[in-house]
PDB file of all heavy atoms in Angstrom:
ATOM      1  N   SER A 128    -205.708  26.178-150.781  1.00 97.00           N
ATOM      2  CA  SER A 128    -204.598  25.384-151.314  1.00 97.00           C
ATOM      3  C   SER A 128    -203.244  25.932-150.875  1.00 97.00           C
ATOM      4  O   SER A 128    -202.338  25.160-150.545  1.00 97.00           O
ATOM      5  CB  SER A 128    -204.661  25.347-152.842  1.00 97.00           C
ATOM      6  OG  SER A 128    -205.836  24.720-153.272  1.00 97.00           O
ATOM      7  N   VAL A 129    -203.102  27.242-150.858  1.00 97.00           N
ATOM      8  CA  VAL A 129    -201.841  27.847-150.422  1.00 97.00           C
ATOM      9  C   VAL A 129    -201.601  27.552-148.943  1.00 97.00           C
ATOM     10  O   VAL A 129    -200.476  27.224-148.542  1.00 97.00           O
ATOM     11  CB  VAL A 129    -201.831  29.370-150.696  1.00 97.00           C
ATOM     12  CG1 VAL A 129    -200.674  30.052-149.997  1.00 97.00           C
ATOM     13  CG2 VAL A 129    -201.771  29.626-152.185  1.00 97.00           C
ATOM     14  N   TRP A 130    -202.651  27.644-148.129  1.00 96.00           N
ATOM     15  CA  TRP A 130    -202.538  27.348-146.702  1.00 96.00           C
ATOM     16  C   TRP A 130    -202.047  25.911-146.502  1.00 96.00           C
ATOM     17  O   TRP A 130    -201.132  25.656-145.717  1.00 96.00           O
ATOM     18  CB  TRP A 130    -203.876  27.577-146.026  1.00 96.00           C
ATOM     19  CG  TRP A 130    -203.937  27.281-144.565  1.00 96.00           C
ATOM     20  CD1 TRP A 130    -202.921  27.327-143.655  1.00 96.00           C
ATOM     21  CD2 TRP A 130    -205.092  26.889-143.830  1.00 96.00           C
ATOM     22  NE1 TRP A 130    -203.386  26.989-142.405  1.00 96.00           N
ATOM     23  CE2 TRP A 130    -204.716  26.718-142.485  1.00 96.00           C
ATOM     24  CE3 TRP A 130    -206.422  26.671-144.190  1.00 96.00           C
ATOM     25  CZ2 TRP A 130    -205.609  26.336-141.499  1.00 96.00           C
ATOM     26  CZ3 TRP A 130    -207.315  26.304-143.191  1.00 96.00           C
ATOM     27  CH2 TRP A 130    -206.899  26.132-141.876  1.00 96.00           C
ATOM     28  N   ALA A 131    -202.642  24.959-147.212  1.00 96.00           N
ATOM     29  CA  ALA A 131    -202.242  23.558-147.085  1.00 96.00           C
ATOM     30  C   ALA A 131    -200.807  23.354-147.580  1.00 96.00           C
ATOM     31  O   ALA A 131    -200.021  22.637-146.946  1.00 96.00           O
ATOM     32  CB  ALA A 131    -203.208  22.674-147.868  1.00 96.00           C
ATOM     33  N   LEU A 132    -200.449  23.989-148.680  1.00 97.00           N
ATOM     34  CA  LEU A 132    -199.100  23.836-149.230  1.00 97.00           C
ATOM     35  C   LEU A 132    -198.045  24.412-148.280  1.00 97.00           C
ATOM     36  O   LEU A 132    -197.009  23.782-148.048  1.00 97.00           O
ATOM     37  CB  LEU A 132    -198.995  24.506-150.601  1.00 97.00           C
ATOM     38  CG  LEU A 132    -197.646  24.424-151.304  1.00 97.00           C
ATOM     39  CD1 LEU A 132    -197.293  22.966-151.618  1.00 97.00           C
ATOM     40  CD2 LEU A 132    -197.660  25.248-152.577  1.00 97.00           C
ATOM     41  N   VAL A 133    -198.302  25.570-147.723  1.00 96.00           N
ATOM     42  CA  VAL A 133    -197.342  26.179-146.797  1.00 96.00           C
ATOM     43  C   VAL A 133    -197.175  25.298-145.553  1.00 96.00           C
ATOM     44  O   VAL A 133    -196.055  25.100-145.074  1.00 96.00           O
ATOM     45  CB  VAL A 133    -197.779  27.614-146.424  1.00 96.00           C
ATOM     46  CG1 VAL A 133    -196.992  28.147-145.246  1.00 96.00           C
ATOM     47  CG2 VAL A 133    -197.634  28.527-147.625  1.00 96.00           C
ATOM     48  N   HIS A 134    -198.272  24.746-145.059  1.00 95.00           N
ATOM     49  CA  HIS A 134    -198.163  23.854-143.895  1.00 95.00           C
ATOM     50  C   HIS A 134    -197.349  22.613-144.235  1.00 95.00           C
ATOM     51  O   HIS A 134    -196.517  22.170-143.441  1.00 95.00           O
ATOM     52  CB  HIS A 134    -199.538  23.452-143.378  1.00 95.00           C
ATOM     53  CG  HIS A 134    -199.465  22.613-142.151  1.00 95.00           C
ATOM     54  ND1 HIS A 134    -199.378  21.235-142.206  1.00 95.00           N
ATOM     55  CD2 HIS A 134    -199.427  22.945-140.842  1.00 95.00           C
ATOM     56  CE1 HIS A 134    -199.305  20.767-140.968  1.00 95.00           C
ATOM     57  NE2 HIS A 134    -199.339  21.784-140.118  1.00 95.00           N
ATOM     58  N   ALA A 135    -197.576  22.041-145.399  1.00 94.00           N
ATOM     59  CA  ALA A 135    -196.833  20.845-145.802  1.00 94.00           C
ATOM     60  C   ALA A 135    -195.350  21.143-145.971  1.00 94.00           C
ATOM     61  O   ALA A 135    -194.504  20.316-145.627  1.00 94.00           O
ATOM     62  CB  ALA A 135    -197.405  20.281-147.105  1.00 94.00           C
ATOM     63  N   ILE A 136    -195.014  22.305-146.479  1.00 94.00           N
ATOM     64  CA  ILE A 136    -193.611  22.677-146.643  1.00 94.00           C
ATOM     65  C   ILE A 136    -192.934  22.816-145.286  1.00 94.00           C
ATOM     66  O   ILE A 136    -191.793  22.380-145.104  1.00 94.00           O
ATOM     67  CB  ILE A 136    -193.492  23.978-147.467  1.00 94.00           C
ATOM     68  CG1 ILE A 136    -193.877  23.718-148.921  1.00 94.00           C
ATOM     69  CG2 ILE A 136    -192.092  24.569-147.373  1.00 94.00           C
ATOM     70  CD1 ILE A 136    -194.028  24.972-149.754  1.00 94.00           C
ATOM     71  N   ARG A 137    -193.623  23.386-144.323  1.00 93.00           N
ATOM     72  CA  ARG A 137    -193.035  23.639-143.003  1.00 93.00           C
ATOM     73  C   ARG A 137    -192.988  22.406-142.114  1.00 93.00           C
ATOM     74  O   ARG A 137    -192.276  22.408-141.113  1.00 93.00           O
ATOM     75  CB  ARG A 137    -193.826  24.735-142.306  1.00 93.00           C
ATOM     76  CG  ARG A 137    -193.712  26.064-143.032  1.00 93.00           C
ATOM     77  CD  ARG A 137    -194.442  27.136-142.321  1.00 93.00           C
ATOM     78  NE  ARG A 137    -193.870  27.238-140.980  1.00 93.00           N
ATOM     79  CZ  ARG A 137    -194.172  28.173-140.124  1.00 93.00           C
ATOM     80  NH1 ARG A 137    -195.038  29.084-140.434  1.00 93.00           N
ATOM     81  NH2 ARG A 137    -193.609  28.210-138.929  1.00 93.00           N
ATOM     82  N   THR A 138    -193.716  21.357-142.454  1.00 91.00           N
ATOM     83  CA  THR A 138    -193.765  20.151-141.631  1.00 91.00           C
ATOM     84  C   THR A 138    -192.590  19.237-141.978  1.00 91.00           C
ATOM     85  O   THR A 138    -192.314  19.005-143.152  1.00 91.00           O
ATOM     86  CB  THR A 138    -195.094  19.396-141.869  1.00 91.00           C
ATOM     87  OG1 THR A 138    -196.172  20.291-141.608  1.00 91.00           O
ATOM     88  CG2 THR A 138    -195.208  18.180-140.992  1.00 91.00           C
ATOM     89  N   PRO A 139    -191.884  18.697-140.977  1.00 90.00           N
ATOM     90  CA  PRO A 139    -190.767  17.779-141.261  1.00 90.00           C
ATOM     91  C   PRO A 139    -191.260  16.498-141.944  1.00 90.00           C
ATOM     92  O   PRO A 139    -192.367  16.017-141.684  1.00 90.00           O
ATOM     93  CB  PRO A 139    -190.192  17.464-139.883  1.00 90.00           C
ATOM     94  CG  PRO A 139    -190.818  18.411-138.925  1.00 90.00           C
ATOM     95  CD  PRO A 139    -192.047  18.950-139.548  1.00 90.00           C
ATOM     96  N   ALA A 140    -190.431  15.950-142.800  1.00 89.00           N
ATOM     97  CA  ALA A 140    -190.794  14.738-143.544  1.00 89.00           C
ATOM     98  C   ALA A 140    -191.027  13.554-142.603  1.00 89.00           C
ATOM     99  O   ALA A 140    -191.854  12.685-142.882  1.00 89.00           O
ATOM    100  CB  ALA A 140    -189.714  14.406-144.561  1.00 89.00           C
ATOM    101  N   ARG A 141    -190.300  13.519-141.491  1.00 91.00           N
ATOM    102  CA  ARG A 141    -190.443  12.418-140.543  1.00 91.00           C
ATOM    103  C   ARG A 141    -191.849  12.358-139.942  1.00 91.00           C
ATOM    104  O   ARG A 141    -192.367  11.289-139.658  1.00 91.00           O
ATOM    105  CB  ARG A 141    -189.405  12.579-139.429  1.00 91.00           C
ATOM    106  CG  ARG A 141    -189.374  11.444-138.441  1.00 91.00           C
ATOM    107  CD  ARG A 141    -188.393  11.701-137.306  1.00 91.00           C
ATOM    108  NE  ARG A 141    -188.772  12.807-136.440  1.00 91.00           N
ATOM    109  CZ  ARG A 141    -189.712  12.743-135.482  1.00 91.00           C
ATOM    110  NH1 ARG A 141    -190.388  11.641-135.309  1.00 91.00           N
ATOM    111  NH2 ARG A 141    -189.956  13.795-134.731  1.00 91.00           N
ATOM    112  N   ALA A 142    -192.491  13.514-139.777  1.00 90.00           N
ATOM    113  CA  ALA A 142    -193.822  13.559-139.170  1.00 90.00           C
ATOM    114  C   ALA A 142    -194.848  12.821-140.024  1.00 90.00           C
ATOM    115  O   ALA A 142    -195.763  12.186-139.496  1.00 90.00           O
ATOM    116  CB  ALA A 142    -194.254  15.002-138.950  1.00 90.00           C
ATOM    117  N   PHE A 143    -194.701  12.872-141.345  1.00 91.00           N
ATOM    118  CA  PHE A 143    -195.628  12.169-142.225  1.00 91.00           C
ATOM    119  C   PHE A 143    -195.488  10.662-142.054  1.00 91.00           C
ATOM    120  O   PHE A 143    -196.483   9.935-141.998  1.00 91.00           O
ATOM    121  CB  PHE A 143    -195.387  12.563-143.684  1.00 91.00           C
ATOM    122  CG  PHE A 143    -195.786  13.963-144.002  1.00 91.00           C
ATOM    123  CD1 PHE A 143    -194.887  15.012-143.871  1.00 91.00           C
ATOM    124  CD2 PHE A 143    -197.061  14.255-144.439  1.00 91.00           C
ATOM    125  CE1 PHE A 143    -195.243  16.310-144.160  1.00 91.00           C
ATOM    126  CE2 PHE A 143    -197.439  15.547-144.734  1.00 91.00           C
ATOM    127  CZ  PHE A 143    -196.534  16.585-144.594  1.00 91.00           C
ATOM    128  N   ALA A 144    -194.250  10.194-141.973  1.00 89.00           N
ATOM    129  CA  ALA A 144    -194.016   8.752-141.827  1.00 89.00           C
ATOM    130  C   ALA A 144    -194.492   8.253-140.467  1.00 89.00           C
ATOM    131  O   ALA A 144    -195.115   7.196-140.367  1.00 89.00           O
ATOM    132  CB  ALA A 144    -192.535   8.446-142.012  1.00 89.00           C
ATOM    133  N   VAL A 145    -194.215   9.013-139.414  1.00 89.00           N
ATOM    134  CA  VAL A 145    -194.618   8.601-138.071  1.00 89.00           C
ATOM    135  C   VAL A 145    -196.138   8.587-137.943  1.00 89.00           C
ATOM    136  O   VAL A 145    -196.708   7.715-137.282  1.00 89.00           O
ATOM    137  CB  VAL A 145    -193.977   9.529-137.009  1.00 89.00           C
ATOM    138  CG1 VAL A 145    -194.533   9.259-135.631  1.00 89.00           C
ATOM    139  CG2 VAL A 145    -192.464   9.359-137.014  1.00 89.00           C
ATOM    140  N   ALA A 146    -196.811   9.529-138.593  1.00 88.00           N
ATOM    141  CA  ALA A 146    -198.273   9.594-138.533  1.00 88.00           C
ATOM    142  C   ALA A 146    -198.937   8.540-139.407  1.00 88.00           C
ATOM    143  O   ALA A 146    -200.149   8.356-139.343  1.00 88.00           O
ATOM    144  CB  ALA A 146    -198.745  10.977-138.948  1.00 88.00           C
TER     145      ALA A 146
END
Side-chain angles (χ1 to χ4, degrees):
S128 297
V129 168
W130 178 27
L132 180 63
V133 167
H134 183 271
I136 290 170
R137 295 182 59 172
T138 304
R141 185 184 66 78
F143 290 90
V145 172

